[in-house]
Amino acid sequence: MGWTTRADPAGTRFEPQDVIHGPYLAFTLRIDRKQVSATLARIQIAADLRGAAKGGRLPREQRKQIIEEAKRKLVERALPSVALVDCLWNCGDGVLLVFATGGRTLETAARQFRETSAGSSSPRG
C-alpha cells in the first residue's frame, strides 16, 4: 500500500506537477492485495487433508498445520489484485476527500493518510 499519482499508478515517479492543483493535492492510494478464492482454498485444503490422513483421523493440531500450510502456499502463488483510490486534500481546510464508497477502503485511506502526512492537520470527511 502506498501513495501514487493518477499519471503514474505504478509509483515510479511522484512529480509535484502531477499532485499540486491550486489549493488541492490530488493523489492516489494504491492497495495491492493477494487473495485466494474460497473455493480454491477449500479444494486444496481437502486434498491436502485427504493425502495426510490416508484413511485415518488426523489430530487437531496436525489438521490445523496442514490447513495453514495450504493457505500459505496458495497465497504465495496468487497474483496481487490492485485497487486505486483517488484522494483530494484541501490543504487550506485540512479536508481529505476519498473517492470510494466502501467503509473499509475509507478507513484504510484515512489511516494511511494520518500515518504518512507531513502536515499537522487531521483529515476530515
Side-chain angles (χ1 to χ4, degrees), residues 102-125:
R104 181 175 167 202
T105 302
L106 292 170
E107 289 173 19
T108 300
R111 183 179 62 248
Q112 186 72 7
F113 183 79
R114 278 191 301 272
E115 290 174 1
T116 59
S117 69
S120 60
S121 302
S122 62
R124 300 186 318 253

Side-chain angles (χ1 to χ4, degrees), residues 74-90:
L74 287 170
V75 168
E76 276 181 6
R77 293 191 329 226
L79 294 174
S81 65
V82 177
L84 299 173
V85 181
D86 290 327
C87 300
L88 187 66
W89 184 29
N90 184 331

Side-chain angles (χ1 to χ4, degrees), residues 1-4 8-12 28-36 75 78-85 104-105 108 111-112:
M1 179 175 0
W3 299 110
T4 65
D8 182 24
T12 56
T28 300
L29 178 63
R30 178 176 163 168
I31 305 169
D32 296 1
R33 290 188 180 106
K34 282 189 167 188
Q35 283 184 281
V36 176
V75 168
L79 294 174
S81 65
V82 177
L84 299 173
V85 181
R104 181 175 167 202
T105 302
T108 300
R111 183 179 62 248
Q112 186 72 7

Side-chain angles (χ1 to χ4, degrees), residues 36-112:
V36 176
S37 82
T39 303
L40 179 60
R42 278 194 301 274
I43 291 168
Q44 185 64 52
I45 289 168
D48 290 356
L49 289 173
R50 274 193 310 274
K54 298 178 184 141
R57 181 113 173 107
L58 293 172
R60 174 183 270 182
E61 278 304 310
Q62 189 176 358
R63 282 179 54 86
K64 196 173 179 181
Q65 287 174 347
I66 291 169
I67 291 169
E68 290 304 314
E69 182 65 17
K71 288 179 182 178
R72 187 189 61 73
K73 285 180 187 176
L74 287 170
V75 168
E76 276 181 6
R77 293 191 329 226
L79 294 174
S81 65
V82 177
L84 299 173
V85 181
D86 290 327
C87 300
L88 187 66
W89 184 29
N90 184 331
C91 303
D93 293 342
V95 175
L96 175 67
L97 301 173
V98 178
F99 297 93
T101 57
R104 181 175 167 202
T105 302
L106 292 170
E107 289 173 19
T108 300
R111 183 179 62 248
Q112 186 72 7

